[in-house]
Amino acid sequence: MSHPDTPADRPPKMPPAHPFDFDAVRSDDGDDKLHEECGVFGVVGLPEAANFVALGLHALQHRGQEAGGIVSHAPGIGFNSARRFGYVRDNFTKASLMETLPGHLAIGHVRYSTAGSKGHTQIRDVQPFFGEFSMGGAAIAHNGNITNADALRRELIDRGSIFQSSSDSECIIHLMARSLQRNIPERMKDALRRCEGAFSVVAMTRTKLIGVRDPLGVRPLVLGKLGDGWALSSETCALDIIGAEFVREIEPGEMVVITENEGVQSYFPFERRASRFCIFEHVYFSRPDSIIGGRSVYDTRRMIGVELAKEAPVDADLVCPVPDSGTPAAIGYSQESGIPYAMGIIRNQYMGRTFIEPTEQIRNMGVRLKLNVNRALIKGKRVILVDDSVVRGTTSRKIKEMILDAGAAEVHFRIASPPTSWPCFYGVDTPEREKLLAATMSEDEMCAHLGVNSLRFITLDGLYRAAGVPEGRDPAAPRYCDACFSGEYPVAPSDMLEKGFQLRPAAE
Amino acid sequence: MSHPDTPADRPPKMPPAHPFDFDAVRSDDGDDKLHEECGVFGVVGLPEAANFVALGLHALQHRGQEAGGIVSHAPGIGFNSARRFGYVRDNFTKASLMETLPGHLAIGHVRYSTAGSKGHTQIRDVQPFFGEFSMGGAAIAHNGNITNADALRRELIDRGSIFQSSSDSECIIHLMARSLQRNIPERMKDALRRCEGAFSVVAMTRTKLIGVRDPLGVRPLVLGKLGDGWALSSETCALDIIGAEFVREIEPGEMVVITENEGVQSYFPFERRASRFCIFEHVYFSRPDSIIGGRSVYDTRRMIGVELAKEAPVDADLVCPVPDSGTPAAIGYSQESGIPYAMGIIRNQYMGRTFIEPTEQIRNMGVRLKLNVNRALIKGKRVILVDDSVVRGTTSRKIKEMILDAGAAEVHFRIASPPTSWPCFYGVDTPEREKLLAATMSEDEMCAHLGVNSLRFITLDGLYRAAGVPEGRDPAAPRYCDACFSGEYPVAPSDMLEKGFQLRPAAE
Amino acid sequence: MSHPDTPADRPPKMPPAHPFDFDAVRSDDGDDKLHEECGVFGVVGLPEAANFVALGLHALQHRGQEAGGIVSHAPGIGFNSARRFGYVRDNFTKASLMETLPGHLAIGHVRYSTAGSKGHTQIRDVQPFFGEFSMGGAAIAHNGNITNADALRRELIDRGSIFQSSSDSECIIHLMARSLQRNIPERMKDALRRCEGAFSVVAMTRTKLIGVRDPLGVRPLVLGKLGDGWALSSETCALDIIGAEFVREIEPGEMVVITENEGVQSYFPFERRASRFCIFEHVYFSRPDSIIGGRSVYDTRRMIGVELAKEAPVDADLVCPVPDSGTPAAIGYSQESGIPYAMGIIRNQYMGRTFIEPTEQIRNMGVRLKLNVNRALIKGKRVILVDDSVVRGTTSRKIKEMILDAGAAEVHFRIASPPTSWPCFYGVDTPEREKLLAATMSEDEMCAHLGVNSLRFITLDGLYRAAGVPEGRDPAAPRYCDACFSGEYPVAPSDMLEKGFQLRPAAE
Amino acid sequence: MSHPDTPADRPPKMPPAHPFDFDAVRSDDGDDKLHEECGVFGVVGLPEAANFVALGLHALQHRGQEAGGIVSHAPGIGFNSARRFGYVRDNFTKASLMETLPGHLAIGHVRYSTAGSKGHTQIRDVQPFFGEFSMGGAAIAHNGNITNADALRRELIDRGSIFQSSSDSECIIHLMARSLQRNIPERMKDALRRCEGAFSVVAMTRTKLIGVRDPLGVRPLVLGKLGDGWALSSETCALDIIGAEFVREIEPGEMVVITENEGVQSYFPFERRASRFCIFEHVYFSRPDSIIGGRSVYDTRRMIGVELAKEAPVDADLVCPVPDSGTPAAIGYSQESGIPYAMGIIRNQYMGRTFIEPTEQIRNMGVRLKLNVNRALIKGKRVILVDDSVVRGTTSRKIKEMILDAGAAEVHFRIASPPTSWPCFYGVDTPEREKLLAATMSEDEMCAHLGVNSLRFITLDGLYRAAGVPEGRDPAAPRYCDACFSGEYPVAPSDMLEKGFQLRPAAE
C-alpha cells in the first residue's frame, strides 16, 4: 500500500533522536576530571530496605552526583520507585518520600551522566529502569557502559521495542523482555550475553536481589552482610555506612542471585576471560576508605606518592596536594622524600555542582570559587603540587597561576597517574581524544604548556607497583584495564568504531 | 533450565502493577460530576506550532485539568516534549518553556485521569506518548478509552513490549511499534484496527499531523484551518481561540493525514458502522460555545430546559441554575415557563481543583467553599433548581440544605439529563455502578432521599428532541451513545466483562 | 562635627524609596476593571480561629487576589503569622501551615495591590502588619486608603520610625507605637484620628478583636456571630461561608472591641460626619450574594439593568452579559425589556491571574484567553451587551470586535454605571485620570471610539434609584461616595493634591 | 481614660515575643562545634558590586550557612535587596537575581543563627537590615553580638520603635533612626556608642561604604583594594577570591568611611581600650588560608599541633585528623612527633547542612553520614586523633566508637584548644554552660567519659604561644578574648546577667 509521502518516513541511518524534554539538568562542573558514571547499591532481607539503599547511595555519591533513583518491592503492595535530580541526601532522606518505598528488597543508582544524553540528564534517563514481564516486574541499575548499545538499540527498535530513555542501559531491560526464558534471572543471563563492554549490574525481581559483573570485571561490585540481610554495592565504603560486613567481591563474570530465605546462589553465565579491573578506580574513582582487591584504596594512593617520589624526585620546600584527590599521594610523596607536607591550597567546602544560569562574573571565576592559595604559606617557597591526573590541563594551568600569583618561587607538578591519552568507553565520562592534553603533547610539551618548573607523571609500571603488582605491568597480560593510558582496549568499542573512532595502530 | 525459586516468578493472572512513583497528583474534587477524561489538539503548518497547541489546550482545559503535554517537531532539531501537572495556563504560557518546543508541527493533550491510575496521575501517564520506530518517531494523544486494553497489554507484554505507563492509550504506540507496515500512518491503521472502544486520536510524525476517530465516533474531533496551516481539535471552541476557521468534523471511522505542503488526505480504514456520538457531550462535557453536529451546544442545553419545562412544569417563584453547568437549561426553563430566571446560588470563582493536605475544617466545608446561596433573594421563595445531572447525589443534597437554610419555601429539582444509572467505559470517569444514585433508586425514591419538594429528570426522548432528533430516540437504532442512561453499550466493554461487570439483561 | 560629604546625605524631598526586593509578584491582568484593593476578616472566641479566617478570606478573594496573610494568637504561645503570595485556597488550606496558627483569635487580609508598590507586591507589603509595643503586640489589617499617608510617613521617619513596607497602612501601626496611651485600643483611636481617607480596619491584640470604620464609612465592615464567637468581615458572604449569623454593619465612625468573655463594646472615637458609602461596591466590588445596607447586592445590580432598560431602550434580539460581572444587570435589562437573555459570550473558567514570563503570542491573545463568543448563537443577531463599567475601554473594544467577527448584525453597549471619569483615592486601584476613557470623551465620542451601534451608561440618578434612593442623587448631600463618577471627593486627597492632582473646578 | 480589660494589656516583663512565621529554616546539624554567627562583606567603586559581594560571601560561607543577603545601591535606581535561605552559591550566582542588584556599592551578610531566634531563622532575621531616614537610606550587616540588646530593645519599644526581627543587630538601625545627627556616619557613631559587646559592622548609605569594629576588636574586619574600588571583609580569604589586595585590618575601635571618589577616611569614635581579639578565630572559626594579625591561620593551627606534641606526647602508630578542622594541627603534631600522618577518617563531601524531615534511620545515623573510618588503615594501630575542640563531647564519643569498631588498638585524643567551659556571648553560638562537657568534668573525667586511652587539651599558654605570644598568656592583660576557656569576659554580658547568668567567682 503506497502512502504519498513515504520518503519523509524513510528510515534514518541512526536510531532517531529521543524527544528532548526541558525538564532536565545540565551537568558540567568544568573540573577537568574524568568522572565515574554510576554507583549501584541493593539490599534484600532488611526492613525498610530503601532506607539502607539511600544510605548506601549517599556513601557512593562521588560516583554520580546528578541524579539518583530507588526501586523497592513489598509483597501485597508491589513495586514502588522514586527518581530525583540532585544529591541523595537532599531527596532520599525525607520520611515522606521514603515511606513510599516500603519493603525488604530495594535497589538504587546514582549517576553522573550517560553515554546518551551528554550534558543534559532527563528524569527518564535516571535509573533504576523497570520492566513488566509476564512473570512479574524487574528493575535494574547499571554501572559501566555497553559498548554495542547502539547496534542493540537499532535491532530492538526494528522489532518493535520502544525506548524511553537515551541510556545504553535500557537495552538490557528490553533484551530481557524479549527473552524466551521463563524466569527473570535466566532472562537476565540471556540479555547480558548479548551485551559487550563493562557492566556491574544490581537488579531485583519481586523476591530476588541480583548482582552481575561483566567477564572482565571492569567496574567493582561487592557483597556485604548485615544481620539476616544482604547488600550489593559498588564499593565497600557503602557497606560501612550501613554497618554491613564486607563478605567478598563479586567475581568477574559472576552472577549472584540472593533471596531472603535461601541466601546467595552463584552462577558464571559468561565465557571466562582474564579479568581487567579498571586501574583508575585505584587512582581516583573509588573512595579512599574503600577496599579493592584486598587493598586499601587510600594506601594504594599513598604508595603512588611514594613511587612518584622515587621516580621523580625534586628539591623543594613543600609538598602540597591539589585538594582533595591529590592528598593521599602527596602524603606518600612527603613521607618518601622527607619534604614537609602542607596545605598550600584550600578548598571551599561550599561548592556544589554546577551553577544554574550564572552571571558572567561567576562563570569567569572558574577554579577560584573552589580553591584558594594559602598565600602566607606559599610565598617564596618551592612547591611540589601533587594531583591525581591531567585531563585537558585547564585546571592545572589555573592552579599554577594562582600559586605563582601568591609568590611561590617554583612550581613542580607530580601526577599520580600516567598521561591520560585515550578516552574510556567503559562507563567513564571522558572528553574526545583531541581534547586530552596527553593525546597531543609529550611530557615536556605539557610542562611548557602548563608553564611549570617541572612536570612528571608516574609511569605505568610505577602505578602497577603501587597497585599491588610488584613486577609492574606485564604487556602480554596486563592485570588491569589501563586503556586510558595505554590505548589498549580489552573489549573493542564497537559502536565507537562504527562512528569512526581510530584505535591505536598495533605498531605504535 | 531450572532456577531454584521459579515459583515466585510464576506469571500472575493480570499484568503486574506498574511501580508507583510518589511524584504524582491526586485528583478528586468531589464535585459529583461525570468527567471527560481528555482533550486533544494538533497543528501543522504554523510557525511556533506549540504556542497554538497551548492556546487550544487552554480552551479545552474543561476536558482535563490534571495535567497536559505537548510534543513538537522541527527539522534539524527533532522531537521535543514537555509534560506537566496542572493547568495549561500555568505551564505552557512561559516563554522559557515554549522556546524548547520549536517547529511548525505539534500536538498536545490535557487529561483528567485515566483508566489506569485512578486517583493518582503520574507524570509518565501524561500524554502525548512517543515512540521511536526505525522509520522515525511518532507521538500520539488519545481521547476516549480502549475497552480491550487489558487484553492487548497482556499480549504485548508476552511478546516483549515494556510499558511505561498505566494508560490504556499506550497500547496504541506499542501496537504501532510492532506493525510490519513501512510507514507510520499505515502502522497506525494496523494498531487502531486492533483497538475496541472509543478513540479520537491526534498524532504526529516528523512531517504529518494525523487525526482518527473510531468507527462509532463516540468522542468529537474537528478540523480547522488557519492561514496555510491546519488544526485538529476535540472541540470548535479551541479553533476559535487561535482564530482558525471551523472546516468540518472528522467523520466517524475517518483518518486524516495532513502535511504542510499536500494538505488533508482522508482514509476510512475501519469497517463502517452506524455512528453513536456521546450524548453527554451535549449535556455537560463540551463547552457551550462549541458546535457539535452543526448545533450550538449552548442552544441544545437551552432546549433541554425548554423540554424540561414542558415535561415537568411546576408552580414556583424563581428558576435558578446550579452554577455553572445548569445555566443554559435554566434559561430555557425560565423562557418556556415564564418564571423569572435568577442567580440564587453564587459560585466562588477562586476554587481550583482539589486541595493538598487540607485541614479537617476545610475538608468538611465541601460545597460551601464553592457555592453560596444568595440569601436575600431566596428567602421565602419557591425555587426551581436546574442542574445538569445527578451522579451520586451528594452535592444535590448539600445544595438543597443550603437553599432551605436560607429560608426557601420550596425546592424543586429539574435535571437536564435522564437518570445516570450505568457507568461509561468510553473515556469518562464514572463511579462504580453501585454508587450511582439512579442505579438503585427510582425517581420518587431519589426525591425522598434528596428531601426536595419535587425532582424530575428529562426523559431520554426529551433529551433526543433537544439534541436535534425531533422524533425522539429510536430504540432500534439510537443516534447517540446513551449507555450511561440506557445501559445499552454500543461496543461490548470486554476488559470489564472479564472483570465481572454485569450487562443489563436483554429483558430489562 | 562635620563630615566631608554631607551633601550627598542631604534629605530628599520625598521619603526615600524602599529597597526593592526581587522576590515579588507582578499584578496586572489587564482586565480593564477597577479593583478593590483589600478584604479583611477576623474572628474571636472560636477554636482554630485561623481556619475560620482562611475560609472568610477565601470568600473575600474577589477583593484581592495577589496575596493574603493571617495572624493568630494563643495564650502561652504568642502571636503567629503567615503571609503568602497567591490564592487563599492554595496556601491557607494546608494542615501543615494552619497548625502553625493556633488560638481562638485571628485576623486576616487579602490584597490586590497597594498605593505604594503598584505593580509589584513584595511579601513585606502583605498584611496584617504587626507591632510589638511595651504593653504587648498588635496586628492590623486595613481595607481602604489613607489619603495623607505620605505626609504621615515623612513625619514618622523624621522622628525615627523605620518603615518596613511601602504600604500606606503601615502608618497606622507606627502611629500606634508612638501613642502615649496605655492600652492598645486607645492607641488605635489616637492613630486613626490622625489618618484621613478610607479605612475599614480589623485589628487584634492578645485578647481583643477590634474593628473600625472611618467616619464616612467608605468601605464596608460587618459583624457576625457564630456560637460563642464573633466575626468581623468586609462582606456578609464571608459570614455565610463559616455559617455565622449576620448581626449588623459596623457603623461609619464606629470602633468595636470584642473579647471572648465580654462580647462587643462599641465606641465612636471620631467627629461624626454624614456617611458616604462607596457606590461602586454595589456596582462591581462586592459579591452579588452579599447584603449591603439591608439590600441584596445582586438585586441592586439587577435593578440597575431594569433602570437601564427604562433609560436606554433599544430594539434588539438578545441581551447578553459581559461575563461575569454584567450578568445581574443583563438579567434585569432582559426582564424589563422582554428581549431574551442569552449567554453570548462564554468565559473560560481556567483563567487565573496574570501570566509569568508569557510568550509573545500569549501576551497578544489578551481577552480571547478569557472570553469566547458563542458564534452559533450570535450570528446575524442584534445584540445588547451589558457590562458593569468602562474604564480604559480597551476590553470593550476587543469584545465588540469578537462579537462582530462572529457575525452579529448590531452591537449595543449598555453600561451598569455612569462614565468613570475620576480616579478613586479611597482604596481602589484606578488608572491615572488621562487613561480613563470617560475623562476625555463624551458618550457619543466613546460610542464612535468603540465602534458600536449604540453606547449608553446608566445615569447617576438611575444608579442611585437602583441602589435604594428612589429620589435619585441629592447633589447637596449625596448618600454615597461617587467621586469616580462625579469628581466630588468627600475627603480631600491631600497627598495627591501635593503631587499636583487637579480637582474638578467648582464651576464644572 | 479607662478601658475595660486593660489588665490583659499590662506590659510584660520582657519584650513580647515576635510573631513566629512558619516560613523559616531550622538550623542544627548537630556537629558539636561552636559556630561563628556571621560573615560580612562590602564593596564600593566597582561595577556590578553585588557580584563581588556574592563572591566574597561565598568565600565567607563557613561563617554562616543558613542564609545570606545583599543590598546594593545605584544612582537613579535606589536601594535593592535580596535575602535568601541557603548557600550563597545556590542563590547569588544566578544572573536573573544579580541583575536586580545593580550599582557600584553593595554590602552583604551570611548568617548561622542569631541570638534571637535560636534554631529557627526567619527571612526577616536575615541581614543586611535597612532603614529609611529623612536624609536617605542605610543598610547594615553585623558580625558579633550586642550584649545589651535586650535592654536597648525595651527602651526603643517604649519610645515607639517597631522591631521587625528578633535580631540583636536591629537595635543598631533603630538607634540610628532616632539619632539627632544630620548625616548617617554620625548617626552610626551615636548608635554604636550605645551598644556593648562585639561588633564588626559593614554598612552603606547611597554613597558610602562604612566599616566599624568594636573597641575590643573581638571579631575580625579587613580592608582590601581592587583597582579603583575598596572592599571590607570579615577575612582575607574573601579578598583573595575577588582578586583584591589585602591592605590592612580595620583597627579595634576604628570606623572607616569609604567613598568612590574620596577613598578611605578613618575615625576612632569610641573610648580606646586594650584590644581582645577572639582566640577561637585562630583555632576554628577563620579559614586556614586567611591571615590574622599578620599570621597565617593555617600556620597557627599547625603550630598548635607542634605545641600539643610537646605538651602531650604519646607513643602511637598514626596521627589522624578529625576532618576537616583538625587537619593542620594533626600535620603539626606529626611533624613534631615524627609519627606518620594519615587519613584515618574520611569525610563524605556530599553532606550539606541539616536534613529536612528525615527518616528515623537517617536521624540515627548521625556522624556516620559524614565520616567513615579507613578500616584497612586503622586496624590494629595505635591512633592519635587530633580535633579542634570538645564542646558537648557527643561527636567525640561516636568517633571513638567508630575507630574502635574498625579495630584500632588504642585511641588517643589530642585537642587543639583548651577545655571549652564557658559560653561565648560575643557572636558565637554556644550551648548553655551545663551542656559544655568541660564545665562539669575534669580532663581525666572527660577521658573516662569518652572512653579513650588518653585525652589531652592544649594549655591556654600553649595556645597563646602557637598564636604568636611566645611568653604565653599574661593573666593581667591577656592579648586575646579567651572567655570560653577562662571565664574572663572582657565585656560584662549585661542581658545575660539580668537573666541570671552566673559569672565565675573572682576567687576561682
Side-chain angles (χ1 to χ4, degrees), chain A residues 6-7 9 17-18 20 31 46 49 56-57 76 93 99 125 176 178 204 215 229 259 268 308 314 375 444 451 459 466:
Chain A
T6 311
D9 278 347
H18 210 76
F20 172 72
D31 67 351
L46 294 175
L57 293 179
T93 52
E99 282 161 12
D125 289 331
M176 288 170 70
R178 287 175 172 277
M204 66 186 280
T259 54
F268 286 86
L308 252 179
V314 60
R375 305 174 74 89
D444 283 354
T459 61

Side-chain angles (χ1 to χ4, degrees), chain A residues 149-311:
Chain A
D150 286 353
L152 289 172
R153 187 184 186 98
R154 263 195 311 266
E155 193 182 316
L156 285 160
I157 287 175
D158 271 354
R159 277 161 182 72
S161 294
I162 295 182
F163 277 71
Q164 290 298 323
S165 76
S166 54
S167 164
D168 62 301
S169 313
E170 194 183 344
C171 289
I172 303 172
I173 202 95
H174 283 290
L175 289 167
M176 288 170 70
R178 287 175 172 277
S179 164
L180 300 179
Q181 296 289 348
R182 305 292 296 276
N183 70 45
I184 290 172
E186 290 305 318
R187 286 188 165 207
M188 201 161 161
K189 291 178 191 171
D190 259 16
L192 291 173
R193 284 188 194 113
R194 290 293 317 273
C195 295
E196 300 168 4
F199 47 85
S200 283
V201 174
V202 169
M204 66 186 280
T205 70
R206 287 170 290 155
T207 55
K208 300 180 189 73
L209 177 67
I210 303 172
V212 197
R213 263 176 107 190
D214 65 76
L216 295 173
V218 175
R219 298 281 147 232
L221 191 63
V222 300
L223 176 69
K225 183 143 191 49
L226 175 58
D228 293 336
W230 299 89
L232 291 170
S233 172
S234 289
E235 298 183 33
T236 62
C237 64
L239 300 179
D240 294 344
I241 201 174
I242 66 164
E245 177 196 353
F246 168 38
V247 177
R248 65 172 176 92
E249 297 189 356
I250 304 305
E251 291 182 43
E254 183 181 9
M255 169 191 269
V256 291
V257 178
I258 316 177
T259 54
E260 202 162 350
N261 299 323
E262 299 171 63
V264 181
Q265 310 242 351
S266 170
Y267 306 86
F268 286 86
F270 309 106
E271 293 182 33
R272 189 152 271 191
R273 296 186 50 181
S275 78
R276 298 288 292 271
F277 183 72
C278 167
I279 201 163
F280 221 98
E281 293 275 354
H282 283 292
V283 171
Y284 176 75
F285 297 146
S286 292
R287 248 176 60 172
D289 47 340
S290 284
I291 294 168
I292 298 180
R295 301 173 58 83
S296 152
V297 171
Y298 170 83
D299 210 53
T300 297
R301 289 181 193 166
R302 191 185 61 82
M303 283 306 298
I304 294 174
V306 169
E307 290 286 336
L308 252 179
K310 289 181 191 163
E311 288 187 350

Side-chain angles (χ1 to χ4, degrees), chain C residues 101-255:
Chain C
L101 297 167
H104 287 212
L105 178 48
I107 67 170
H109 190 267
V110 288
R111 61 171 269 146
Y112 177 71
S113 86
T114 68
S117 57
K118 285 242 189 270
H120 279 283
T121 289
Q122 307 211 4
I123 201 71
R124 67 172 171 247
D125 289 331
V126 178
Q127 302 190 30
F129 291 131
F130 180 85
E132 296 174 11
F133 311 137
S134 47
M135 72 284 286
I140 62 164
H142 167 224
N143 174 206
N145 189 47
I146 310 296
T147 51
N148 64 331
D150 288 352
L152 289 172
R153 188 185 186 95
R154 262 195 310 266
E155 193 183 315
L156 285 159
I157 287 175
D158 272 353
R159 277 163 182 70
S161 294
I162 296 182
F163 277 71
Q164 290 299 323
S165 76
S166 53
S167 165
D168 62 301
S169 312
E170 194 184 343
C171 289
I172 304 171
I173 201 95
H174 283 290
L175 288 168
M176 289 169 70
R178 287 177 172 277
S179 164
L180 299 179
Q181 296 289 350
R182 305 291 296 274
N183 69 47
I184 290 172
E186 291 304 319
R187 286 188 164 207
M188 203 163 161
K189 292 177 191 172
D190 259 15
L192 291 172
R193 285 186 194 115
R194 291 293 318 274
C195 295
E196 300 168 4
F199 47 87
S200 283
V201 174
V202 169
M204 66 186 280
T205 69
R206 284 171 291 155
T207 56
K208 303 181 186 72
L209 177 67
I210 303 171
V212 196
R213 263 176 107 190
D214 65 78
L216 295 173
V218 176
R219 298 282 148 231
L221 191 64
V222 301
L223 176 68
K225 182 143 189 49
L226 174 57
D228 293 336
W230 298 90
L232 291 170
S233 172
S234 290
E235 298 183 31
T236 63
C237 65
L239 299 179
D240 293 345
I241 202 173
I242 66 165
E245 177 195 354
F246 169 37
V247 176
R248 65 171 176 93
E249 298 188 356
I250 304 304
E251 290 182 45
E254 183 181 10
M255 169 190 270

Side-chain angles (χ1 to χ4, degrees), chain D residues 20 122 195 491:
Chain D
F20 172 73
Q122 308 211 6
C195 295
V491 177

Side-chain angles (χ1 to χ4, degrees), chain B residues 463-500:
Chain B
L463 176 58
Y464 269 70
R465 279 192 297 272
V469 188
E471 64 279 14
R473 184 180 194 258
D474 174 0
R479 187 167 338 150
Y480 291 104
C481 175
D482 51 20
C484 52
F485 308 131
S486 66
E488 296 177 23
Y489 292 92
V491 177
S494 57
D495 287 343
M496 290 309 296
L497 295 174
E498 193 173 323
K499 284 177 187 158

